[in-house]
C-alpha cells in the first residue's frame, strides 16, 4: 500500500510526487505513459519559480517583455521558458513507483483509498492526488457547462527569421495589434518567446472565449501577421497547438485531493499554472505527511486547507469575476481594456498576474484598472459582473457561495 497515489504525470503530478517522496512518503505515480515527456511550451515569471528550478531548468530567460494594448510599452520583468527535459529530470525520483494505466475511479474507506484502473487493477493508498489537468479524472470529470477556453496556434522559427517580431533578449507577453486582414470577430494577440538560443515561438492566442476560437482561424491570423512582418511562413520548423479551460469551478473538497490545473490553479488572465504547482507541491506534501498518521480523511482535509485557504478562494473568485466581465465586453473594447491594464503600476500588474495573489492585492489591481478605462468599458465591466465592493464573506472550497 502506498502512502500517496498521484494520478497524472504532467508537471503538476511529477512535482506532487517528487515533493511527497522527499517528505518520506511511499509514492505511486499513475499515468497511461508515465515516462513520456512534455511537448507543450511552459513559461513563467522568473520571480515566481522555486530558486532551484529557476537556476537549473530554464531553456531561455528574456529580461524584458513587450506589452501592447493600443500602444506599446516594455516591462522589465524577466520571463523564462522552461527546459522540459531538465524539469522532468529534476522532478524524477528513483523511489517513486511508476504504473502505466488509466485511473477511472477512487473508492474510499476509513483506513485508506483504492484507485481503480481501466484494466481492473486496484492500487491501495492512504491518500489520492488527482493531477490529471482539465480531465479531472477523479475529481468529478468535466463540468456540465461549456467552459471558456484559451486556444492558440504557434509556429517555431529560427531566431534570426523571427527578429521582426521578437528581438534578442526579449519576449512578447501580449500584443493586441489586430492581425492583418482580420475583419471583426473576437480579438486575438501575439505571444512570442525564445525557446532556446536558436528558436523562437510565435503564437496567435485567444485568451478566453466561449465557445473557443477554432484553430483554423488562429492559423489564418497568424499567417497574416507574420507575412505582414516580412516573415516567410513556409520557413516554420514546427507547430504548437494549445487548448485548455480557464474558468473551471474549484472542485469540491473530499478524499481525493486535486492538484495543479485540476485544482483550479490556471490563472484566468494568463493561462499560467506551472509555477504555482511547483511552488505549492511541498505544501501539499507536508500536509499529507502530517495528516496521514492520524488518518486519510484528516490528511485530505489538511491538503485542501493548505492549497485553498479562504483568502486564496476569495482571490480566485475575484479573478473569475474579472474574466466574466472581460468576456462580456464588445470585441472592439478588448485591446483598450488591456491598454488600461498595462498602464497600471507595475506592482499592481504583478499582483494581479501572480499565481500566489491575495484578495487585497487583486482588488487593488482591479480598482486601478477600473479607474483607467473609459465609461464605455466601465459600463461593460459592471454589467459583466466586475464590481469592487467586498466579495462574498463566506466561500466554500468549491468556489460556490455557501
Amino acid at each position: 500500500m502506498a502512502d500517496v497515489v498521484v494520478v497524472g504525470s504532467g508537471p503538476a503530478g511529477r512535482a506532487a510526487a517528487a515533493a511527497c517522496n522527499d517528505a518520506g512518503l511511499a509514492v505511486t505515480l499513475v499515468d497511461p505513459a508515465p515516462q513520456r515527456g512534455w511537448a507543450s511550451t511552459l513559461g513563467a515569471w522568473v520571480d515566481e519559480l522555486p530558486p532551484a528550478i529557476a537556476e537549473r531548468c530554464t531553456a531561455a530567460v528574456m529580461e524584458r517583455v513587450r506589452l501592447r494594448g493600443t500602444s506599446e510599452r516594455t516591462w522589465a520583468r524577466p520571463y523564462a521558458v522552461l527546459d522540459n527535459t531538465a524539469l522532468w529530470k529534476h522532478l524524477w525520483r528513483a523511489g517513486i513507483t511508476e504504473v502505466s494505466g488509466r485511473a477511472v475511479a477512487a473508492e474510499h474507506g476509513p483506513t485508506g483509498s483504492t484507485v481503480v484502473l481501466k484494466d481492473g487493477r486496484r492500487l491501495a493508498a492512504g491518500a489520492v492526488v488527482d493531477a490529471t489537468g482539465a480531465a479531472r479524472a477523479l475529481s468529478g470529470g468535466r463540468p456540465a457547462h461549456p467552459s471558456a477556453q484559451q486556444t492558440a496556434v504557434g509556429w517555431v522559427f529560427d531566431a534570426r527569421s523571427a527578429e521582426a517580431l521578437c528581438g534578442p533578449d526579449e519576449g512578447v507577453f501580449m500584443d493586441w495589434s489586430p492581425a492583418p486582414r482580420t475583419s471583426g470577430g473576437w480579438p486575438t494577440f501575439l505571444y512570442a518567446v525564445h525557446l532556446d538560443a536558436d528558436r523562437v515561438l510565435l503564437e496567435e492566442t485567444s485568451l478566453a472565449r466561449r465557445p473557443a476560437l477554432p484553430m483554423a482561424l488562429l492559423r489564418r491570423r497568424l499567417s497574416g501577421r507574420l507575412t505582414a512582418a516580412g516573415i516567410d511562413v513556409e520557413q516554420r520548423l514546427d507547430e504548437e497547438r494549445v487548448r485548455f479551460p480557464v474558468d473551471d469551478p474549484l472542485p469540491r473538497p473530499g478524499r481525493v485531493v486535486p492538484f495543479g490545473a485540476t485544482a483550479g490553479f490556471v490563472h484566468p488572465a494568463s493561462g499560467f499554472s506551472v509555477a504555482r504547482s511547483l511552488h505549492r507541491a511541498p505544501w501539499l506534501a507536508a500536509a499529507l505527511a502530517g495528516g496521514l498518521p492520524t488518518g486519510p480523511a484528516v490528511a485530505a482535509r489538511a491538503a485542501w486547507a493548505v492549497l485553498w485557504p479562504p483568502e486564496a478562494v476569495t482571490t480566485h473568485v475575484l479573478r473569475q469575476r474579472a474574466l466574466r466581465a472581460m468576456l462580456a465586453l464588445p470585441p472592439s473594447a478588448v485591446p483598450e481594456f488591456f491598454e488600461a491594464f498595462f498602464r497600471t503600476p507595475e506592482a499592481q500588474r504583478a499582483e494581479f498576474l501572480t499565481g500566489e495573489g491575495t484578495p487585497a492585492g487583486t482588488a487593488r489591481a482591479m480598482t486601478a484598472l477600473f479607474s483607467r478605462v473609459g465609461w464605455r468599458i466601465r459600463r461593460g465591466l459592471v454589467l459583466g459582473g466586475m464590481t469592487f465592493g467586498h466579495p462574498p464573506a463566506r466561500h466554500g472550497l468549491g468556489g460556490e457561495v455557501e
Side-chain angles (χ1 to χ4, degrees):
M1 174 175 171
D3 294 317
V4 181
V5 170
V6 177
V7 181
S9 68
R14 282 273 170 196
C20 288
N21 179 262
D22 293 346
L25 299 173
V27 180
T28 296
L29 180 66
V30 180
D31 189 90
Q35 293 293 313
R36 180 176 50 201
W38 310 314
S40 300
T41 300
L42 305 176
W45 303 107
V46 173
D47 56 24
E48 294 189 6
L49 290 170
I53 289 173
E55 180 181 348
R56 304 171 193 166
C57 303
T58 57
V61 175
M62 289 139 278
E63 294 301 320
R64 60 188 179 276
V65 294
R66 297 199 333 255
L67 311 170
R68 185 180 181 91
T70 57
S71 65
E72 187 164 311
R73 54 189 31 81
T74 298
W75 193 3
R77 186 184 185 191
Y79 183 80
V81 168
L82 297 176
D83 181 328
N84 290 3
T85 300
L87 180 62
W88 194 98
K89 292 179 178 178
H90 180 78
L91 297 175
W92 183 84
R93 299 290 186 274
I96 295 174
T97 300
E98 299 188 2
V99 174
S100 297
R102 187 176 301 278
V104 294
E107 301 168 353
H108 309 291
T111 61
S113 300
T114 301
V115 175
V116 181
L117 305 188
K118 186 176 181 179
D119 61 9
R121 285 177 292 168
R122 301 168 67 85
L123 306 175
V128 179
V129 175
D130 183 355
T132 56
R136 299 156 68 115
L138 302 182
S139 301
R142 296 296 308 139
H145 68 274
S147 60
Q149 293 187 328
Q150 181 173 130
T151 50
V153 170
W155 290 337
V156 178
F157 293 85
D158 68 80
R160 185 178 297 276
S161 298
E163 278 190 8
L165 291 176
C166 186
D169 202 35
E170 71 172 10
V172 179
F173 183 60
M174 289 183 181
D175 181 350
W176 287 92
S177 303
R181 300 191 298 276
T182 297
S183 178
W186 189 251
T188 54
F189 65 88
L190 174 71
Y191 167 80
V193 290
H194 289 263
L195 299 178
D196 50 37
D198 303 316
R199 298 176 303 139
V200 167
L201 173 69
L202 303 174
E203 195 162 82
E204 194 73 22
T205 305
S206 169
L207 183 62
R209 197 64 189 152
R210 185 186 299 113
L213 288 191
M215 297 294 175
L217 172 62
L218 294 169
R219 285 192 189 92
R220 287 197 300 272
R221 291 189 180 182
L222 180 61
S223 178
R225 189 187 297 275
L226 302 190
T227 300
I231 297 173
D232 182 359
V233 299
E234 297 303 322
Q235 297 302 310
R236 60 184 180 271
L237 307 175
D238 200 359
E239 179 176 281
E240 175 174 284
R241 294 176 295 278
V242 175
R243 180 188 293 269
F244 58 83
V246 295
D247 67 341
D248 281 353
L250 303 186
R252 288 290 185 180
R255 288 284 294 275
V256 173
V257 181
F259 189 68
T262 306
F265 282 9
V266 176
H267 196 298
S270 65
F272 294 175
S273 66
V274 172
R276 189 176 183 187
S277 297
L278 294 171
H279 179 71
R280 292 214 171 192
W283 301 14
L284 169 70
L288 293 176
L292 278 171
T294 305
V298 171
R301 286 196 298 270
W304 272 99
V306 77
L307 295 178
W308 284 109
E311 61 271 18
V313 176
T314 302
T315 299
H316 177 84
V317 170
L318 287 171
R319 288 174 173 172
Q320 290 294 333
R321 185 179 292 171
L323 173 65
R324 289 195 301 270
M326 188 202 73
L327 289 171
L329 291 174
S332 61
V334 173
E336 185 181 342
F337 172 87
F338 278 95
E339 176 70 16
F341 177 67
F342 297 151
R343 285 192 284 111
T344 60
E346 290 188 6
Q348 291 174 2
R349 203 185 303 154
E351 279 183 317
F352 187 80
L353 290 174
T354 183
E356 300 295 339
T358 64
T362 301
R364 278 193 298 269
M366 291 169 67
T367 301
L369 167 62
F370 195 75
S371 70
R372 285 167 168 78
V373 298
W375 285 106
R376 178 179 70 126
I377 294 182
R378 285 189 187 184
R379 181 176 182 276
L381 294 177
V382 171
L383 291 175
M386 187 167 165
T387 56
F388 298 89
H390 295 293
R394 298 171 65 234
H395 293 283
L397 283 174
E400 302 291 339
V401 179
E402 294 180 335

